[in-house]
Amino acid sequence: MPATATQTTSAWAGRVQPRVHIAGDGPPLVFLHGAGGLTWDPFLDALAKNFTVYAPEHPGTTPGDPDGVNSIDNLWDLVLYYYELFDSLGLESPAVVGHSFGGMVAAESPPPEPSRVSRLTLISPIGLWRDDTPIPNWMTLTPEELTPLVCADPQGPVAQQMFALPEDPDAAADATIQFVWSMACTGKFVWPIPDKGLRKRIHRITAPTLIIWGHRDGLVSPIYAEEFRSRIAGSRVEVLEDAAHLPQLERMEEAVRLVTEFCSS
Amino acid sequence: MKISMFHLMPHRELPADFEQRYKSVWVDPPFNELADPSRVGQFYNWTLDELVHAARAGLDGICVNEHHQNAYGFMPGPNLMGSALARETAGLDVGIVQMGATLPTTNPPTRVAEEYAMLDCISGGRLVAGMPLGSPMDANMCYGIPPIEQRERYYEAHDLILKAWASDEMFAWNGKYQQLGMVNIWPRPVQKPHPPVWVPGSGSLSTWDFAAKHDHCYCFLSYFGSGLGKKVMDGFWEFVDQGGIDPNPHRAGFLQLVVVGETDADAEAKYAEHVKYFYDKCLHIPLHYLGPPGHQDHRSLTHAIKSGTAARTQEVMNNLANYTFREFADQQFVIAGSAATVRDQLREAVRTLRVGNLMVLLHIGSMPHELTLENIDRFAADVLPYLRDEWGDWENRWWPESLRHQRQLVGV
């Protein structure tokens, strides 16, 4: 297992103090996490065997900097903030992998300056909307309601890893606070409907793009894979069986192989 | 002190198994399955009649509020009700207490400034301007405001409304959420510099701070009685004390459910089912609807979870279904009984909580119209006169100036 270093940096004229988890060796790969916050998981560990993985925490979700979210108000702010963060990490044009909410942010990153992203991987991204297949507002669901939508096996180890709380009450309280606040800070950019105009900008993506979806995603239907593919020139879709909204964990080996091959080629 | 009748305008005839069949009373109950528009028209008219009756019976003020997509209390346009009430109480010394139009969801917020000014003009300066933040169900789930922005939007709307009332000159408002180039509202309110402002809250430090800073009345609206109320109000008065602010009891408001019978037993016989209906059906709200992520800022969220407040609230809400009428009454969720019982308990609560602006919910849940009138009459005749003199040494600066004298009881 590669060692993970964390680097606290400063961006947005000093108003955000995000932590970035860094591990591995090889070409740079940025991972943008989903709405529940960053967990350094086995998927990132596996990617770190071939890449230098940079996993920043969304503004406000870094412990000790909850107010970091207050100075970033919309997607335009957020994308420019990430450009600054890339600059501070010396990343001219990294591969970017984004999951769910992070997938939307990843897809919003190239449009202003397409060359900032060399390769784009979108795992179950949000950001587009179909009236005939609405995306439920996950921030209004209980864990009991959410789990079967996002895990193909709601009793399986991935579900446990995502939703089980630590036994120690203090650790459980901290984990709950971190989870709820991550939902709050990401929700700021998508509440109440996760369509903020990506449809108008998505054609500006020029990086080679891989789209990964879980066949049984109950939160963001796999029908959306085609919505993304048809709008990004030259992109390709991989739909994984026996996976829902967390295919990178539910079908980890396959997902790691797909991302590694795609980002190495 | 001043005592006003509060009305929620609930659905009075939900099916007996409502809470078993439906997920929530708020946001998602299907209207066409549960209600009939003509019958709902009757509910609205009864509500207006009951409030006007209370005004005529001697209550100092009448209160309505704003909620959306629910059977708990559905006056999405409180100023529509307020307008009818202002007109029907012309000539009476009664406050029109709007508790009120929700600031973060009214666009642009100058609309609140305008409509409140209209009400103040129509009523001849009798308006109390409630400025609620809005419940998470209303503001976030029904009206789409991102929870993390709600409070900031509220502060901006508040500042804009007060400036719109106070400014003689037209001005430009370059806010974070509102950009209005030419603000010059018509009409302006009768009351100068502006009608008294009441801020409903649920016990958070930031709301105390806000109310104190602007010298507004802080109102704790709770259905869980003076026991929980005392914890919150003790905190509020400690905060006032530490800030060196004058501890005028009228700086605080409190909501209390009240039912009055001939005797204690009569009150139980008449009102028990309606109180039970209120807690079982009208408060049938999934807990997570009350706290979407971002509804509390990080400090409040941390405090709520680490102090156990969140867990205690959950426990109270989960236990409500098992409460009997006696338990509701013993814990004073509802102050219930003969006039003597009610006035003793209410006086005690008013003194303990140190509140000079009391709101009493005299229509509860499924209470029919005639019984509501009876409750109002008993309260006005046999309770109200015994409480009027409380806090008489303090001026109620949060009540319309022309109404600060003591009302004469009429026509009971």
Side-chain angles (χ1 to χ4, degrees):
Chain A
M1 182 183 291
T4 313
T6 58
Q7 179 181 331
T8 300
T9 179
S10 175
W12 211 239
R15 287 168 297 195
V16 188
Q17 318 288 328
R19 198 165 60 176
V20 184
H21 298 250
I22 305 169
D25 258 322
L29 182 153
V30 173
F31 176 77
L32 300 177
H33 63 77
L38 179 69
T39 307
W40 187 272
D41 57 32
F43 172 70
L44 297 179
D45 253 346
L47 289 181
K49 286 175 187 157
N50 292 292
F51 302 94
T52 307
V53 176
Y54 295 84
E57 291 167 338
H58 176 78
T61 68
T62 293
D65 189 30
D67 297 333
V69 70
N70 293 346
S71 60
I72 297 182
D73 291 327
N74 52 46
L75 282 173
W76 178 230
D77 289 351
L78 188 62
V79 168
L80 292 184
Y81 158 83
Y82 273 116
Y83 283 16
E84 283 192 18
L85 192 63
F86 286 11
D87 289 342
S88 74
L89 296 167
L91 304 173
E92 183 56 35
S93 183
V96 176
V97 178
H99 171 237
S100 189
F101 172 82
M104 184 189 81
V105 179
E108 289 281 7
S109 296
E113 178 50 70
S115 67
R116 291 280 352 212
V117 176
S118 63
R119 297 203 158 243
L120 181 64
T121 305
L122 306 176
I123 305 173
S124 325
I126 56 171
L128 298 178
W129 183 265
R130 287 176 57 131
D131 283 339
D132 65 355
T133 316
I135 299 166
N137 183 346
W138 58 94
M139 293 164 274
T140 66
L141 301 176
T142 63
E144 294 72 30
E145 291 166 333
L146 187 57
T147 307
L149 301 182
V150 299
C151 298
D153 177 3
Q155 270 77 48
V158 171
Q160 278 296 313
Q161 184 189 326
M162 284 301 290
F163 294 108
L165 285 172
E167 280 189 23
D168 172 58
D170 286 337
D174 286 338
T176 302
I177 293 163
Q178 182 66 20
F179 180 76
V180 173
W181 192 242
S182 296
M183 289 275 202
C185 293
T186 51
K188 177 173 182 176
F189 298 89
V190 287
W191 185 288
I193 287 181
D195 172 3
K196 303 300 170 194
L198 177 61
R199 188 181 299 268
K200 293 176 293 182
R201 301 181 282 267
I202 194 169
H203 67 280
R204 288 182 49 80
I205 296 174
T206 54
T209 300
L210 170 66
I211 299 156
I212 298 176
W213 227 283
H215 182 243
R216 291 164 64 188
D217 194 333
L219 188 68
V220 189
S221 160
I223 209 168
Y224 280 95
E226 176 58 19
E227 296 290 329
F228 277 86
R229 193 207 60 74
S230 65
R231 289 177 170 81
I232 304 174
S235 62
R236 100 173 197 258
V237 172
E238 295 284 348
V239 176
L240 302 183
E241 301 291 323
D242 300 321
H245 193 62
L246 303 160
Q248 78 278 26
L249 297 173
E250 299 175 280
R251 291 291 310 281
M252 191 181 86
E253 281 181 27
E254 185 64 10
V256 169
R257 186 185 65 74
L258 286 168
V259 175
T260 303
E261 283 178 13
F262 173 70
C263 292
S264 306
S265 61
Chain B
M1 70 179 301
K2 294 297 182 188
I3 303 176
S4 305
M5 174 172 166
F6 204 113
H7 209 310
L8 292 168
M9 213 319 281
H11 191 320
R12 303 181 188 209
E13 295 162 358
L14 287 169
D17 59 354
F18 169 77
E19 63 273 33
Q20 281 87 45
R21 267 169 55 202
Y22 297 93
K23 179 182 176 188
S24 172
V25 75
W26 219 307
V27 182
D28 38 40
F31 180 86
N32 287 326
E33 239 174 79
L34 287 163
D36 167 67
S38 303
R39 190 66 180 156
V40 166
Q42 179 69 76
F43 297 160
Y44 283 119
N45 281 289
W46 276 335
T47 297
L48 291 167
D49 288 344
E50 286 155 9
L51 287 166
V52 170
H53 186 81
R56 290 182 182 143
L59 275 287
D60 297 306
I62 43 182
C63 314
V64 292
N65 68 352
E66 170 176 339
H67 290 302
H68 302 271
Q69 294 184 199
N70 75 83
Y72 149 91
F74 50 118
M75 296 184 283
N79 295 342
L80 299 180
M81 302 297 274
S83 176
L85 293 169
R87 167 90 181 173
E88 279 214 53
T89 57
L92 293 178
D93 290 346
V94 168
I96 302 299
V97 184
Q98 297 295 105
M99 281 303 280
T102 305
L103 267 50
T105 55
T106 307
N107 247 322
T110 39
R111 181 91 188 180
V112 177
E114 290 168 334
E115 291 186 359
Y116 276 3
M118 279 180 72
L119 286 175
D120 208 38
C121 291
I122 292 170
S123 68
R126 293 186 286 128
L127 176 76
V128 171
M131 295 200 179
L133 175 68
S135 79
M137 289 80 76
D138 295 319
N140 310 139
M141 298 175 79
C142 304
Y143 270 29
I145 301 291
I148 203 169
E149 288 182 359
Q150 190 176 347
R151 199 167 279 273
E152 196 178 43
R153 284 175 180 269
Y154 174 82
Y155 293 143
E156 181 180 326
H158 164 273
D159 293 351
L160 170 55
I161 291 166
L162 262 66
K163 185 165 182 181
W165 280 339
S167 179
D168 285 328
E169 307 289 326
M170 183 161 79
F171 64 92
W173 183 264
N174 182 21
K176 177 169 170 181
Y177 298 102
Q178 304 293 335
Q179 288 193 315
L180 301 169
M182 295 184 273
V183 180
N184 175 37
I185 63 158
W186 279 62
R188 304 291 168 89
V190 170
Q191 298 178 77
K192 302 295 178 202
H194 58 74
V197 175
W198 290 14
V199 179
S202 55
S204 81
L205 188 67
S206 52
T207 309
W208 295 345
D209 204 32
F210 173 79
K213 186 169 98 187
H214 293 282
D215 202 27
H216 296 331
C217 175
Y218 173 77
C219 299
F220 183 58
L221 306 185
S222 152
Y223 301 124
F224 306 112
S226 53
L228 173 68
K230 182 162 165 48
K231 281 200 189 80
V232 171
M233 293 313 297
D234 281 355
F236 173 73
W237 290 117
E238 199 182 309
F239 172 84
V240 165
D241 187 48
Q242 282 166 2
I245 301 158
D246 90 276
N248 187 331
H250 301 103
R251 178 181 290 292
F254 187 75
L255 174 72
Q256 178 65 53
L257 280 70
V258 176
V259 291
V260 192
E262 177 76 43
T263 61
D264 291 356
D266 179 53
E268 178 162 358
K270 283 191 170 121
Y271 301 108
E273 65 174 298
H274 308 300
V275 169
K276 188 86 181 127
Y277 175 105
F278 176 78
Y279 284 98
D280 286 351
K281 293 178 171 51
C282 297
L283 296 187
H284 178 55
I285 305 165
L287 263 176
H288 64 286
Y289 280 23
L290 297 164
H295 174 66
Q296 291 177 302
D297 65 21
H298 190 267
R299 188 172 63 147
S300 305
L301 171 69
T302 303
H303 179 77
I305 289 179
K306 295 215 164 177
S307 70
T309 312
R312 273 198 300 278
T313 307
Q314 187 152 8
E315 202 182 311
V316 171
M317 291 289 282
N318 288 343
N319 275 339
L320 282 182
N322 305 320
Y323 271 57
T324 62
F325 178 79
R326 281 276 35 106
E327 286 168 311
F328 285 127
D330 289 346
Q331 296 184 34
Q332 297 190 8
F333 284 30
V334 182
I335 290 185
S338 69
T341 301
V342 168
R343 64 186 175 233
D344 287 349
Q345 290 187 11
L346 209 47
R347 186 188 294 111
E348 175 70 24
V350 161
R351 289 180 182 174
T352 312
L353 301 167
R354 195 178 172 84
V355 289
N357 285 308
L358 181 68
M359 287 156 275
V360 287
L361 199 70
L362 297 176
H363 173 272
I364 296 170
S366 50
M367 268 168 72
H369 181 57
E370 290 304 322
L371 185 58
T372 309
L373 299 183
E374 180 183 334
N375 195 31
I376 293 167
D377 286 340
R378 287 186 187 279
F379 182 85
D382 301 325
V383 178
L384 188 57
Y386 298 87
L387 295 171
R388 286 186 179 284
D389 293 336
E390 296 293 314
W391 311 119
D393 297 340
W394 297 85
E395 188 189 3
N396 193 345
R397 295 194 288 112
W398 295 271
W399 196 253
E401 194 169 2
S402 63
L403 307 178
R404 281 181 203 164
H405 61 274
Q406 197 168 105
R407 263 202 92 180
Q408 299 304 307
L409 285 186
V410 290
V412 178

